[in-house]
Amino acid sequence: MIDNATYLKRSEEYESSARSYSRKFPIAIKKAKGVVIEDVEGKTYIDFLCGAGTLALGHNDDEINSLLIDYIKSDAPLHTLDMITPAKDEFASTLFSCFPEDFRKNAKIQFCAPAGTDAIDAAIKLCRIATGRRMVISFSGGYHGMGQGPLTLMGNLHAKQHINGLSSDVQFFPYPYAYRPAFGVKGDEGVEICINFFERMLKDPESGITLPACVVLEAIQGEGGVIPAPKKFLQAVRRVTEELGIPLILDEVQAGIGRSGDFFAFEESGITPDCIAISKAVGGSLPMAIMAYNKKLDKWDAGTHAGTFRGTTLSMVAGERLMKRVNTKPFLNEVKEKGDAFKKHFEALKSECPIIGDVRGRGMMLGIEIVDPKSKEDICGAKAASGEIASELQRTCFNNGLIMEKGGRNGAVMRCLTALSIPREHLDKGIDILTESIKTVNKKYC
Ligand SMILES: Cc1ncc(COP(=O)(O)O)c(C=O)c1O
């Protein structure tokens, strides 16, 4: 038998220094079913990472796997660039049925190279072409992918600090981060200040900010630390952008396809964006990215956006069935209920374990911000975020059989992005492991 260490040593030799997850979770995975994965040595783990939110129905869903096998056996094409196939037609029709009515009636879609970063790139390109403007507005804590276009919109400085030549046509605004508000004011008043600042700066003829080609926004920031935007903030951004004729792009790459408990996370606020970037779960666990947009923006010519793998029919077959399974009221309600149970449990643990600073999220997009209990409180009563304690917690979870990602400012937020379909018993098992791990680490730091 080849053990984990041997595979890891080989990977260290052939794989890039930019690799990341394989460093935090040093195993070679042999099998995966639902949310349980097994390494080559036979140890099992509960998977709260699930391909960073890609595996909405978990690993190796029986129905999707058998559809894929049937499709392959049928000699239907696996790859067609952007030529039409019955699988593509069916996928598009199901995707359109999942759009909110106001968006659907004017919608068009662009199949993108199969990564979220390309869907964002395509959206920015389209908005620049349609408006004839260059500048793009993004938000602190935003994450839109690692291509050099989307990278310019990233809040986190680590990934872009060594790259010269990134476009400077970006303006950042504060995102309403309730636990650590940008203006030091908590609650509703803090949100109002963010809204006012955004509106004033865009409408003030002397703010120094030129009219942008688009505004790019996550309704729930994922990599930035699982931060849901209040409804009134999303509504205000929509109102101001509409008044000024600025296309609004909602990045639903991570929060979309049911993860928030709504099919798209922006739906809770009732707004209608001009573009939606979609990827991750939309391919039913296979690579896929789509940029959906209002046809009033459809000002580009044939070939203005291309990409060899826009026509991967296996992703369409899998994604079509996944969307049908996810987009039902009972399924989405269960996502909300499971997320609420998670939050309630860890809220209750807060008083016993002061390393828990904040518990937040919507649906199965959940975060626990870890703080240094011995640090001083800031102006809003929050202790210092601790990436160090969070890393120790992540390692403890891993040793106890739970794979869980971190993110957010200073890498201090433990993030649950497990399958939407996770059975209650596996969710409870993951919660138990996380609880015990928090208690162990908490003891050391208190
Ligand atoms: C909100 C958001 N946008 C875009 C991306 C980029 O997607 P990809 O990694 O597939 O390029 C991600 C990835 O995590 C994301 O969370």
Side-chain angles (χ1 to χ4, degrees):
M1 183 191 73
I2 304 183
D3 60 5
N4 286 318
T6 309
Y7 280 109
L8 289 161
K9 190 161 179 300
R10 283 191 203 165
S11 136
E12 211 176 301
E13 279 159 19
Y14 67 74
E15 206 170 342
S16 154
S17 298
R19 70 193 187 282
S20 64
Y21 294 109
S22 60
R23 295 179 198 262
K24 295 178 203 165
F25 309 116
I27 50 171
I29 301 168
K30 184 174 73 180
K31 271 188 181 172
K33 185 80 181 159
V35 298
V36 180
I37 64 179
E38 184 183 329
D39 70 15
V40 290
E41 295 173 14
K43 179 167 177 185
T44 57
Y45 298 82
I46 296 285
D47 189 1
F48 268 13
L49 173 59
C50 276
T54 303
L55 303 164
L57 298 176
H59 297 268
N60 285 308
D61 178 77
D62 285 338
E63 187 192 9
I64 288 181
N65 275 7
S66 67
L67 273 175
L68 292 174
I69 290 164
D70 290 348
Y71 188 80
I72 289 170
K73 283 185 176 160
S74 74
D75 279 345
L78 297 184
H79 178 272
T80 66
L81 296 165
D82 71 354
M83 285 184 280
I84 294 132
T85 62
K88 177 174 175 172
D89 186 70
E90 204 175 336
F91 173 87
S93 134
T94 299
L95 177 63
F96 270 69
S97 74
C98 296
F99 288 142
E101 171 59 25
D102 270 358
F103 186 80
R104 176 172 49 232
K105 61 187 187 216
N106 293 308
K108 285 208 158 211
I109 55 172
Q110 164 78 32
F111 287 88
C112 298
T117 192
D118 194 56
I120 291 290
D121 228 0
I124 294 168
K125 185 191 282 181
L126 179 68
C127 291
R128 282 185 167 147
I129 291 169
T131 61
R133 305 192 287 255
R134 289 179 61 94
M135 205 264 286
V136 178
I137 287 180
S138 185
F139 290 85
S140 54
Y143 184 97
H144 304 285
M146 287 284 188
Q148 293 196 50
L151 201 52
T152 60
L153 312 177
M154 190 184 287
N156 189 319
L157 302 176
H158 175 74
K160 55 185 189 180
Q161 66 188 342
H162 301 301
I163 305 168
N164 277 326
L166 285 180
S167 162
S168 55
D169 288 323
V170 184
Q171 186 76 40
F172 284 88
F173 278 89
Y175 192 85
Y177 182 1
Y179 188 58
R180 300 184 190 279
F183 297 97
V185 179
K186 281 192 86 118
D188 235 29
E189 207 185 328
V191 179
E192 287 297 343
I193 297 175
C194 284
I195 292 172
N196 257 314
F197 183 65
F198 180 77
E199 180 160 12
R200 286 277 163 88
M201 294 299 276
L202 283 184
K203 290 187 174 171
D204 178 358
E206 304 224 5
S207 69
I209 299 174
T210 53
L211 201 63
C214 53
V215 168
V216 185
L217 178 64
E218 290 158 272
I220 307 173
Q221 286 190 339
E223 305 303 303
V226 195
I227 307 170
K231 279 189 221 175
K232 63 156 38 165
F233 179 76
L234 295 177
Q235 288 160 354
V237 169
R238 178 64 288 190
R239 175 181 56 73
V240 173
T241 49
E242 212 151 58
E243 283 169 12
L244 297 175
I246 305 166
L248 175 62
I249 301 169
L250 258 294
D251 183 341
E252 292 276 337
V253 166
Q254 187 168 132
I257 322 293
R259 181 145 298 276
S260 71
D262 293 303
F263 193 80
F264 292 111
F266 68 78
E267 286 182 79
E268 193 199 48
S269 66
I271 63 167
T272 303
D274 299 295
C275 301
I276 311 174
I278 309 165
S279 187
K280 291 198 191 274
V282 77
S285 79
L286 297 176
M288 163 79 85
I290 310 276
M291 195 272 287
Y293 60 95
N294 187 310
K295 61 183 174 218
K296 74 179 179 212
L297 296 170
D298 200 24
K299 303 257 161 63
W300 48 11
D301 301 326
T304 314
H305 200 75
T308 303
F309 281 101
R310 282 167 297 155
T312 309
T313 39
L314 282 179
S315 309
M316 294 173 187
V317 169
E320 195 273 335
R321 187 55 56 101
L322 180 134
M323 285 189 286
K324 275 204 179 123
R325 295 246 306 265
V326 167
N327 196 26
T328 70
K329 274 226 155 58
F331 187 95
L332 292 172
N333 283 342
E334 207 182 314
V335 171
K336 284 184 188 152
E337 280 162 23
K338 287 188 282 198
D340 289 345
F342 179 102
K343 279 192 290 186
K344 200 165 155 213
H345 175 88
F346 289 105
E347 272 294 343
L349 194 66
K350 235 166 133 179
S351 57
E352 192 186 328
C353 296
I355 63 165
I356 301 179
D358 192 32
V359 179
R360 54 182 183 251
R362 269 173 53 200
M364 296 308 286
M365 192 161 170
L366 297 155
I368 301 176
E369 184 158 338
I370 302 299
V371 295
D372 177 353
K374 296 205 171 115
S375 63
K376 261 177 60 185
E377 286 183 354
D378 69 13
I379 185 175
C380 291
K383 302 229 170 200
S386 178
E388 192 194 324
I389 300 178
S391 292
E392 186 163 343
L393 177 56
Q394 185 180 46
R395 280 192 300 276
T396 308
C397 286
F398 175 71
N399 292 335
N400 291 339
L402 176 68
I403 305 252
M404 192 163 180
E405 176 53 326
K406 262 171 1 88
R409 278 30 174 220
N410 308 299
V413 181
M414 296 297 289
R415 305 176 56 211
C416 175
L417 284 167
T418 193
L420 308 182
S421 60
I422 184 171
R424 267 324 254 261
E425 80 212 75
H426 287 151
L427 181 61
D428 290 345
K429 183 157 184 217
I431 288 176
D432 285 349
I433 297 175
L434 179 56
T435 304
E436 284 317 306
S437 305
I438 289 175
K439 285 183 181 169
T440 306
V441 173
N442 186 73
K443 216 180 265 171
K444 189 171 155 192
Y445 286 91
C446 284

